[in-house]
Amino acid sequence: MRVVKTIEELRSFIQDYKRNGETVGLVPTMGYLHEGHMSLVDQAKSYSTKVVMSIFVNPLQFGPNEDFERYPRNLEQDQAMAEERGVDILFTPEVSEMYPQKPKTTVRVTEVTDRLCGASRPGHFDGVGTVVSKLFNLVQPDYAFFGQKDAQQVAVIQQMVNDLNFPVKIVPCPIVREKDGLAMSSRNVYLSEEERGQALILNQALKEAEEAYHAGKSLAEVKNGMISLISSQPLAEIDYVEILSYPGLEPLDQWDGRAVLMALAVKFGNTRLIDNKIILES
Ligand code: AMP
């Protein structure tokens, strides 16, 4: 595995790949790797002959009062995990390499960003769209792999790729969970033991919502059921609980035969967790 810190070096390796007819899969991450990230690498290996993983905690996608500074980082451990899993290039640029100055050009995706995390975190998806565009230009991947854990991110990136004609196929990958159901996240390390215990309510609420849906409950009943179950945990502070059409992310008053995304964001102490479930069949 090659660990690459500069754009110049990255471009030169990518040129060699292209000359040799390799297909390239990109796995963008912010590091502090876990099995969720690794599942994207496994997918990438099954699609392409070379896998490039980026690790970059992108300041552009954090709000002023968010956790950019304290976001967990452990490059040494990440490097070992990536190498063991068969990543070919690990791109780990410094902020000054990606943004030698504050960019005057950014990418803004509208409408799909109006709700959910787009509404709670103003500017977040502009930061995501901008950094992912840069990575697409640098790595020129044939495929790029994104987790459904960040379902809105997948929708935003797919919209951006459609609108701007990036020659890349986006591959959404399923959510990987801990044995007890908590969706894996680098931010889970922030949780105290008590918070982590109560956070199990998120997956439980989504499971019960799916059951209620299949049992014929109305959309309002399902949504209220999730809200009251999550609120039963004293440390849980709901940011949003929403049920939207999928993949369009349009608001729904009732089930209308389209696939739906049940999505939630809940704070436990200072830690904001997100989770979701997609129900495809009507
Ligand atoms: P992050 O490092 O948190 O920005 O995540 C990098 C990529 O890994 C994104 O595409 C995430 O959606 C994906 N990812 C993070 N956690 C999980 C998970 N538990 N299951 C599947 N994919 C994940």
Side-chain angles (χ1 to χ4, degrees):
M1 184 179 77
R2 298 187 184 275
V3 180
V4 173
K5 295 196 91 67
T6 68
I7 287 172
E8 192 187 349
E9 208 187 346
L10 177 66
R11 282 202 193 274
S12 134
F13 284 127
I14 296 293
Q15 262 175 16
D16 288 346
Y17 283 171
K18 296 284 164 179
R19 243 196 315 271
N20 296 336
E22 308 280 8
T23 52
V24 177
L26 172 66
V27 178
T29 81
M30 299 205 298
Y32 211 74
L33 301 177
H34 52 67
E35 234 357 83
H37 299 113
M38 293 328 237
S39 73
L40 306 190
V41 172
D42 293 346
Q43 284 274 20
K45 285 179 74 76
S46 75
Y47 272 75
S48 42
T49 58
K50 295 290 178 191
V51 176
V52 178
M53 173 184 264
S54 59
I55 295 183
F56 181 60
V57 185
N58 173 33
L60 231 56
Q61 71 190 67
F62 287 77
N65 298 317
E66 293 185 357
D67 56 347
F68 174 70
E69 294 296 341
R70 69 180 191 115
Y71 194 83
R73 294 161 168 92
N74 188 339
L75 201 50
E76 210 175 304
Q77 185 183 298
D78 287 351
Q79 220 166 292
M81 285 175 76
E83 174 141 42
E84 208 222 293
R85 210 60 167 242
V87 168
D88 296 285
I89 292 179
L90 188 65
F91 180 50
T92 63
E94 297 291 334
V95 172
S96 57
E97 182 71 7
M98 289 296 272
Y99 304 116
Q101 58 192 27
K102 188 167 178 279
K104 299 187 177 72
T105 310
T106 55
V107 177
R108 166 166 297 180
V109 177
T110 58
E111 293 183 33
V112 268
T113 54
D114 285 349
R115 311 185 70 82
L116 308 174
C117 294
S120 308
R121 304 180 67 188
H124 169 67
F125 284 116
D126 297 355
V128 171
T130 302
V131 79
V132 172
S133 300
K134 283 169 75 78
L135 290 169
F136 285 173
N137 285 331
L138 293 171
V139 177
Q140 296 170 46
D142 299 280
Y143 304 96
F145 300 83
F146 292 88
Q148 284 288 7
K149 159 95 183 336
D150 300 273
Q152 188 176 22
Q153 176 168 273
V154 174
V156 169
I157 299 296
Q158 186 62 66
Q159 187 67 50
M160 179 184 90
V161 164
N162 295 349
D163 287 344
L164 299 183
N165 305 103
F166 281 104
V168 57
K169 181 171 170 21
I170 303 303
V171 183
C173 303
I175 299 177
V176 178
R177 297 178 180 281
E178 303 285 357
K179 278 201 186 71
D180 58 12
L182 183 67
M184 288 192 184
S185 164
S186 307
R187 290 191 167 98
N188 289 350
V189 292
Y190 296 150
L191 297 168
S192 69
E193 206 176 314
E194 198 182 6
E195 288 166 345
R196 198 194 171 296
Q198 295 194 16
L200 297 180
I201 203 69
L202 304 187
N203 182 44
Q204 203 181 323
L206 290 166
K207 266 169 54 185
E208 291 193 14
E210 185 175 22
E211 283 163 20
Y213 167 88
H214 289 301
K217 293 268 165 58
S218 72
L219 189 147
E221 285 170 323
V222 170
K223 189 168 160 177
N224 290 334
M226 282 197 280
I227 292 171
S228 59
L229 192 62
I230 294 167
S231 308
S232 71
Q233 297 300 318
L235 298 177
E237 188 194 321
I238 293 177
D239 177 358
Y240 63 73
V241 172
E242 291 212 52
I243 301 179
L244 303 174
S245 71
Y246 186 82
L249 307 189
E250 288 149 31
L252 291 175
D253 294 328
Q254 52 194 11
W255 315 119
D256 63 5
R258 280 183 287 177
V260 297
L261 173 71
M262 298 172 168
L264 42 85
V266 179
K267 278 183 84 174
F268 291 86
N270 290 324
T271 309
R272 183 176 173 279
L273 300 180
I274 57 171
D275 202 348
N276 70 79
K277 190 177 276 287
I278 292 163
I279 301 183
L280 291 175
E281 72 269 38
S282 58

